[in-house]
Amino acid sequence: MRYAFIITIIVLLQLFSFGAALSLEWWLQPWSTPALIMIMWIAIFAITNILLLLSVTKSFANSYRWISAWLLVMHFILLTAMLTGLLYGGFWLLSALGDNAFYNTETIAIGLRIFALVFFIGLFNYTLYSAYVPAVREISIKINKPLNNPLRIAVASDLHLGRLFGSKAIERLNDIVQRYQADVLLMPGDIMDDNTTAFTDYNMAEDLAKLVSSLPYGVYATLGNHDLYGHEQPIREALQNAGVQLLNDEVTCLSHQGQPIWFIGRFDNHKRQRVATTELLGQVNTAEPVILLDHRPSDIVVHSELPIDLQVSGHTHNGQIFPANFIVNAINRLGYGYEKIGKGHFVVSSGYGFWGIPFRLGSRSEVWLITLNGDGSNNADNA
């Protein structure tokens, strides 16, 4: 299975290279020579396979970022070529149906190349914006359990704190939770980008501690798969030292204006020995509100039959780069967004940060603001 995956990736990279080279050959056509075109083809395939070799052999740190970035460049070239091709087809159809003299072929060719360049640059700027400027998703839900006063819950999953996403992102998150008057912040996994190196080097602990202290009930979190890739202990210690309340296969009870609300946090299923949800539920009073932090949304169907009122998850990034969002939603009962399923309410966030490279297309960096109402809540609304 592993070899089949590697072979598939290699084949896809060669196909992307072929498509990107073909697209650039068209774009360069008015100014090119056979020698220039040959150099361009060789350069694209050379870059692809050199980066692939470096990534496979792990010749330098974060080599996967370079191959990912190059793949993204080729992906954007292909998307640009597809859209430009559709426009060209439209002009061709109009010229076939109308007066051919009205359409100057040379002018259209230059115009399409200018459009392709502007669109390609705009695509990069838009995807950077989508990665670094978060949207705020507000919803209000009502549960059939006692809760006289609404609880304002902020959810920021998948921060992936590292060299490309750090202190400024934490400060921005602090501004958001303050502006929307959140009571508590939940971070369901992938808080660090594999290790604490950048977290320590850039002194992010101070910013994270400020974020924790700014919320009435602080920050609750659980670890995701990227927090468990060999650096679990230092990540755990860094978060706890900043005041984050970690719930890894653990439960805790929060008193919200005199009423109990239970929080359950699960390890990501990368941790093979993790405790079953049913066992954790045995430690709480399920007649009272129960909120579950579970990094992956893979157990939503099972959890929808349990006395869980709200589950918050992440992990999927909503695909991060189009068209992966379609794949994410095809393989998950709920790959992204909010839905009431069975007995509970479920929120799967696309994440506050990003994985690998700072680009998002078809997804958006986001924070969820959930107003949790219960029996007796003032201004209780259904989502």
Side-chain angles (χ1 to χ4, degrees):
M1 188 68 179
R2 182 170 177 268
Y3 290 111
F5 175 77
I6 293 173
I7 292 171
T8 301
I9 293 298
I10 292 172
V11 171
L12 283 174
L13 282 168
Q14 307 314 312
L15 289 174
F16 266 69
S17 300
F18 178 81
L22 202 62
S23 301
L24 285 176
E25 180 177 339
W26 166 83
W27 195 86
L28 290 168
Q29 193 174 31
W31 313 283
S32 65
T33 63
L36 177 62
I37 293 298
M38 179 63 69
I39 292 171
M40 182 270 296
W41 275 83
I42 292 172
I44 286 178
F45 276 92
I47 292 170
T48 296
N49 290 288
I50 289 171
L51 288 176
L52 177 62
L53 180 63
L54 292 174
S55 182
V56 170
T57 57
K58 298 180 180 179
S59 300
F60 59 92
N62 297 322
S63 56
Y64 70 92
R65 292 191 196 274
W66 291 95
I67 189 69
S68 298
W70 177 239
L71 181 60
L72 185 77
V73 168
M74 294 193 294
H75 180 48
F76 284 2
I77 290 174
L78 291 174
L79 289 177
T80 302
M82 289 172 62
L83 183 56
T84 306
L86 288 173
L87 286 175
Y88 177 79
F91 280 119
W92 180 86
L93 182 61
L94 288 172
S95 65
L97 296 175
D99 183 2
N100 291 343
F102 179 76
Y103 299 96
N104 185 296
T105 304
E106 185 176 344
T107 302
I108 290 174
I110 295 299
L112 286 173
R113 282 168 173 79
I114 293 172
F115 167 81
L117 180 60
V118 171
F119 181 80
F120 180 79
I121 295 171
L123 199 57
F124 262 93
N125 287 323
Y126 174 73
T127 52
L128 275 169
Y129 174 85
S130 296
Y132 279 111
V133 181
V136 178
R137 318 286 187 197
E138 288 190 87
I139 62 170
S140 179
I141 67 175
K142 183 179 180 181
I143 62 175
N144 296 317
K145 290 183 182 177
L147 188 62
N148 291 333
N149 298 285
L151 180 69
R152 296 275 289 169
I153 304 168
V155 180
S157 73
D158 303 274
L159 278 72
H160 288 274
L161 294 174
R163 298 192 182 279
L164 300 178
F165 198 80
S167 294
K168 289 184 179 179
I170 299 173
E171 290 172 5
R172 189 182 302 118
L173 180 57
N174 198 346
D175 291 340
I176 291 171
V177 298
Q178 293 303 306
R179 190 185 326 135
Y180 287 86
Q181 299 180 319
D183 296 312
V184 64
L185 172 63
L186 306 182
M187 298 196 299
D190 280 2
I191 300 161
M192 301 286 182
D193 201 20
D194 297 346
N195 57 57
T196 59
T197 303
F199 185 83
T200 302
D201 290 347
Y202 295 101
N203 194 27
M204 297 181 205
E206 183 178 342
D207 300 294
L208 186 56
K210 288 180 182 177
L211 172 63
V212 172
S213 63
S214 70
L215 289 143
Y217 300 131
V219 177
Y220 291 84
T222 191
L223 299 184
N225 52 301
H226 281 270
D227 302 312
L228 300 173
Y229 292 156
H231 296 271
E232 177 189 338
Q233 191 59 35
I235 289 174
R236 179 198 295 266
E237 291 174 356
L239 293 173
Q240 289 176 330
N241 289 340
V244 175
Q245 300 182 67
L246 276 179
L247 298 173
N248 294 314
D249 288 344
E250 295 171 302
V251 306
T252 191
C253 187
L254 169 71
S255 178
H256 174 52
Q257 300 188 24
Q259 287 190 294
I261 299 175
W262 292 90
F263 287 93
I264 300 175
R266 297 189 76 198
F267 270 118
D268 177 76
N269 66 11
H270 185 76
K271 192 91 163 180
R272 294 183 179 180
Q273 300 82 16
R274 69 172 179 168
V275 177
T277 307
T278 49
E279 185 175 336
L280 293 169
L281 281 169
Q283 303 174 39
V284 311
N285 181 356
T286 55
E288 297 165 344
V290 177
I291 299 172
L292 171 67
L293 290 77
D294 197 0
H295 179 58
R296 301 188 197 220
S298 51
D299 291 332
I300 280 179
V301 173
V302 174
H303 291 169
S304 68
E305 299 302 318
L306 300 176
I308 296 168
D309 300 293
L310 171 65
Q311 174 178 323
V312 294
S313 299
H315 183 67
T316 67
H317 293 225
N318 193 20
Q320 188 160 323
I321 300 292
F322 169 88
N325 46 326
F326 291 106
I327 299 172
V328 160
N329 283 287
I331 64 177
N332 290 283
R333 171 60 183 83
L334 179 64
Y336 169 70
Y338 161 78
E339 190 175 345
K340 186 180 187 309
I341 305 172
K343 297 180 179 180
H345 300 264
F346 297 86
V347 169
V348 180
S349 174
S350 69
Y352 181 61
F354 48 80
W355 179 80
I357 50 178
F359 299 97
R360 282 181 174 270
L361 181 63
S363 67
R364 180 80 182 273
S365 169
E366 66 183 20
V367 177
W368 284 77
L369 264 297
I370 305 168
T371 302
L372 186 67
N373 302 287
D375 292 341
S377 287
N378 297 318
N379 302 317
D381 296 313
N382 288 315

